[in-house]
Amino acid sequence: MDLQFVASGFAVGLLVGMTGVGGGSLMTPLLTLLFGVTPAVAVGTDLAFASLTKGVGTFTHRLRGTVHWDIVRRLCLGALPAALLASIGLKYFGTLSKEMGQIIRYTIAGSVFLTVIALLFKRKMLAWITAHPERQLQGRALHNATIFTGAVLGVLVTISSIGAGAIGATVLVMLYPRLTAAEVAGTDIAYAVPLTAIAAVGHWWLGSINWTLLLTLLVGSVPGITLGAYAARAVPERLLRGILAVTLVAVAVKLVYS
């Protein structure tokens, strides 16, 4: 078992526990840039990693009653078919080819930039939508927007493994501003479980999951997430998110220009 991967899993778990940002925003670029893992394998392995870790989180949120299953169903109506179609598209165009690897690399970079925007402007966007209740969607328009959001995230997550965390949570806040922070987190994690599972199955079909690497990352991430959750109480959230945003911008630039 490579201690470098265990340490990486621990570091990512620690940051996820402290900031709440999805591990894909950190793990996939880390595997690609630092360890030279091909983009497709980095994405596939991270999706399998996410489906397992988010499953545990969903169980906890379900016990606490912080999952809105009606919203989860609407998101899945869009996300799951989109993930299947994206997997078929990757198979058709050749997941492990050099050209497709470059496309996946750029998609990861774009997803990281979106995560940074979500990190920095989530509170301002929530304040704006709260101050303009007339702009909030209602009824069928809200249902359709939720399904469409799920479809977009389904494609994004399947190609880059990024999107179901900070991006998904930010969109949920905009669509459903009356949800509490715990309900946003619980609902976001719950719909991400079937999405990442289906996307992971798609990558298993494509042959782009490294199971040994997955197990090694899990060994480090579980204690990291636990310690991060405790450490989050002692470190200012704004400072953590600022440091993370700067790090992610640097990662995205490196992905594009390396």
Side-chain angles (χ1 to χ4, degrees):
M1 184 173 291
D2 195 325
L3 293 180
Q4 287 182 314
F5 290 120
V6 175
S8 298
F10 177 82
V12 170
L14 186 68
L15 286 172
V16 170
M18 292 173 72
T19 65
V21 174
S25 304
L26 302 163
M27 184 65 75
T28 305
L30 181 68
L31 292 175
T32 303
L33 294 174
L34 190 59
F35 297 110
V37 178
T38 60
V41 173
V43 170
T45 303
D46 183 65
L47 284 169
F49 173 84
S51 65
L52 293 171
T53 54
K54 289 178 184 292
V56 177
T58 298
F59 179 74
T60 303
H61 278 282
R62 182 178 181 180
L63 292 178
R64 296 176 60 197
T66 51
V67 178
H68 280 256
W69 294 106
D70 54 333
I71 300 175
V72 171
R73 284 191 292 270
R74 293 172 204 150
L75 288 168
C76 287
L77 277 175
L80 303 190
L84 287 173
L85 290 174
S87 297
I88 294 171
L90 288 173
K91 178 69 172 181
Y92 178 79
F93 289 106
T95 316
L96 301 179
S97 68
K98 183 178 180 181
E99 294 78 11
M100 183 53 66
Q102 197 64 28
I103 292 173
I104 293 174
R105 192 182 184 95
Y106 288 148
T107 305
I108 294 170
S111 299
V112 170
F113 274 125
L114 288 175
T115 302
V116 172
I117 293 172
L119 278 171
L120 296 179
F121 299 107
K122 180 178 177 179
R123 289 184 177 179
K124 290 185 177 180
M125 289 187 286
L126 177 58
W128 183 87
I129 198 68
T130 302
H132 299 83
E134 73 280 0
R135 298 298 182 97
Q136 297 176 18
L137 297 177
Q138 304 290 337
R140 183 171 295 277
L142 179 59
H143 293 181
N144 292 338
T146 306
I147 294 171
F148 176 76
T149 296
V152 173
L153 291 173
V155 173
L156 197 62
V157 167
T158 303
I159 296 176
S160 71
S161 83
I162 302 169
I167 300 173
T170 301
V171 175
L172 275 179
V173 167
M174 297 296 291
L175 292 176
Y176 300 91
R178 292 182 179 85
L179 295 182
T180 66
E183 290 170 338
V184 169
T187 303
D188 183 61
I189 290 174
Y191 99 88
V193 172
L195 170 56
T196 53
I198 286 182
V201 169
H203 277 268
W204 170 73
W205 173 54
L206 297 168
S208 53
I209 294 180
N210 186 323
W211 297 102
T212 303
L213 174 59
L214 170 63
L215 177 61
T216 308
L217 293 173
L218 285 171
V219 168
S221 68
V222 172
I225 290 174
T226 304
L227 289 176
Y230 284 105
R233 300 176 182 177
V235 183
E237 180 184 359
R238 182 172 296 181
L239 174 62
L240 281 173
R241 292 185 177 270
I243 294 172
L244 187 58
V246 172
T247 302
L248 290 175
V249 168
V251 164
V253 171
K254 180 68 174 176
L255 282 167
V256 172
Y257 292 104
S258 63

